[in-house]
């Protein structure tokens, strides 16, 4: 269970103060995929960044099984929470194999052969073993994403956070991603996703939290509930956006 | 006349080699010193690693090293500082120190610019993986920054190599000084100066080939 308690985040730019997250509290069971849904700028990515400690100046508390996330050492944190950003942020000076093996080399006491075995296993799971010697600039968007997920998974974190994972994918890669995320959940990983793509959200839905202007406005545990019960402006906006995309297609 | 000149050059070769060897020793020592000092200055004046007052002080120091001509820095290190602080310094150490310090101001600028060029998301990706700041710097940022800083560093090292000719002014028996001595003895400036010019061209070309090879080695984007 991931427990978020009264988390607020304020950013200052010049003389302006912007409240990005406003006193957010929620409990996220890790046996189900949880979606943070909202428009861009709503605060869903910032919430993921707070959970992964990329934002450190928030107020409030985030607990993983009653353990305060901010008290985790870098190693404990990387083995508890993995983060896959929207732009993947692979290391361009390393090939795919080294992108995945370097964290193991630097953070664990595994031997060279253990690291090799672990990375090869992980690359196999994500069907990118043939890309082991490729550099980032040689990969497609979908391949980059799978490498980024593999790099996060290789450290065996309990929770994986995904920021807008479907935003740059074609329908085929989107389907592959959905399957991968479901498999990760089946393998016992907590999966938390931020998205504004309702078509993607419906396909992967297990639990959804709607965020608007830095506040949680709705939580849904069933797809039917999400599709029918809500009449909020945000909900309508996201569905409308989806409709627009479908019409354009 | 031509055969005399050639004969003089051949006779002077052992002296040229000795002078070139001193030039190279000073060059390599000063380059290492300059790169290490420049890297230190560059890291701590970059946006991401700046330490409030310390970085400002470093910025002023690097500005001063760039603002004072190398020859003046050499005179200060060899004559002024020993006189002020009552210590002895040999010409070799003074040359390496002043060349290194002078060049480090420029090297620092290249490293600072290169480190600042690396996207914030690279720092964050390493942080999300659990890297410490030092690990992020050594394994993620510097390898990428080094690749960016290499081409301008090539120019700086080339300029440093040529600046070694100035250390003849404090009595270092490097290539230019050796040539000057031969000329004053033989009264034949044309073949001697042309010969050492050719030696400088060879050294510069070797340096260029080496740095280009390094650039290719560090380049992960194959064109």
């Amino acid at each position: 269970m991931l427990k978020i308690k009264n988390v607020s985040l304020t950013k200052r730019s010049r003389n302006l103060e912007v409240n990005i997250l406003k006193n957010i509290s929620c409990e996220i069971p890790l046996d189900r995929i949880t979606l943070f849904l909202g428009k861009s700028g709503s605060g869903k990515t910032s919430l993921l960044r707070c959970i992964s400690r990329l934002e450190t100046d928030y107020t409030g508390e985030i607990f993983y099984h009653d353990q305060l996330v901010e008290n985790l050492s870098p190693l404990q944190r990387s083995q508890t929470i993995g983060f896959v950003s929207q732009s993947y942020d692979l290391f361009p000076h390393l090939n795919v194999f080294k992108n995945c093996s370097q964290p193991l080399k630097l953070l664990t006491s595994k031997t060279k052969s253990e690291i090799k075995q672990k990375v090869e296993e992980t690359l196999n799971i994500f069907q990118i073993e043939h890309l082991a010697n490729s550099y980032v600039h040689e990969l497609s968007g979908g391949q980059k994403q799978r490498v980024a997920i593999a790099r996060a998974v290789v450290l065996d974190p309990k929770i994986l956070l995904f920021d807008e994972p479907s935003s740059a994918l074609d329908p085929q890669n989107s389907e592959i991603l959905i399957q991968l995320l479901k498999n990760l959940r089946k393998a016992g990983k907590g999966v938390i996703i931020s998205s504004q793509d309702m078509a993607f959200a419906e396909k992967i839905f297990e639990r959804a939290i709607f965020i608007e202007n830095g506040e949680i406005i709705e939580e849904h545990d069933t797809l039917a509930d999400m599709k029918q019960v809500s009449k909020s402006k945000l909900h309508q906006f996201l569905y409308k956006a989806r409709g627009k995309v479908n019409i354009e297609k | 006349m031509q055969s005399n000149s050639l004969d003089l050059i051949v006779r002077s070769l052992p002296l040229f080699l000795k002078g070139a060897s001193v030039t190279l020793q000073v060059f390599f020592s000063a380059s290492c010193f300059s790169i290490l000092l420049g890297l230190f200055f560059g890291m701590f004046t970059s946006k991401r690693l700046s330490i409030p007052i310390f970085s400002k002080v470093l910025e002023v120091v690097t500005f001063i090293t760039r603002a004072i001509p190398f020859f003046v820095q050499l005179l200060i290190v060899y004559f002024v500082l020993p006189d002020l602080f009552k210590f002895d310094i040999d010409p070799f150490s003074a040359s390496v120190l002043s060349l290194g310090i002078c060049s480090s101001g420029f090297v620092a600028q290249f490293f600072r610019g290169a480190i600042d060029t690396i996207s914030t998301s690279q720092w964050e990706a390493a942080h999300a993986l659990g890297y410490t700041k030092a690990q992020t710097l050594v394994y993620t940022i510097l390898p990428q920054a080094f690749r960016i800083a290499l081409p301008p560093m090539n120019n700086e090292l080339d300029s440093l190599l040529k600046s070694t000719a100035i250390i003849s002014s404090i009595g270092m028996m490097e290539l230019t000084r050796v040539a000057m001595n031969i000329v004053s003895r033989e009264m034949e400036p044309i073949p001697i100066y042309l010969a050492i010019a050719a030696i400088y061209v060879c050294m510069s070309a070797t340096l260029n080939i080496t740095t280009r090879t390094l650039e290719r080695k560090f380049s992960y984007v194959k064109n």
Side-chain angles (χ1 to χ4, degrees), chain B residues 72-73 75-89:
Chain B
V72 178
Q73 290 193 37
L75 297 176
I76 290 172
V77 170
Y78 191 59
F79 295 111
V80 179
L81 295 183
D83 203 39
L84 276 178
F85 299 104
K86 307 291 172 217
F87 67 91
D88 286 328
I89 190 163

Side-chain angles (χ1 to χ4, degrees), chain A residues 52-54 56 74 77-78, chain B residues 122-131 136:
Chain A
S52 62
R53 296 285 297 160
L54 287 175
T56 51
R77 181 167 42 80
S78 65
Chain B
Q122 287 288 301
W123 290 87
E124 291 187 345
H127 178 77
L129 286 168
Y131 289 17
T136 304

Side-chain angles (χ1 to χ4, degrees), chain A residues 182-227:
Chain A
K182 285 182 174 170
N183 288 345
L184 284 170
R185 208 257 299 130
K186 278 180 201 155
K189 306 280 178 208
V191 176
I192 303 173
I193 301 164
S194 86
S195 182
Q196 53 180 323
D197 177 352
M198 289 305 282
F200 169 78
E202 275 187 15
K203 283 181 191 163
I204 203 161
F205 181 92
E206 288 181 358
R207 187 164 185 271
I209 295 173
F210 281 72
I211 300 175
E212 190 173 28
N213 295 328
E215 288 174 298
I216 291 178
I217 55 162
E218 290 175 37
E219 288 188 43
H220 298 290
D221 284 320
T222 66
L223 186 58
D225 183 31
M226 181 175 86
K227 282 170 100 170

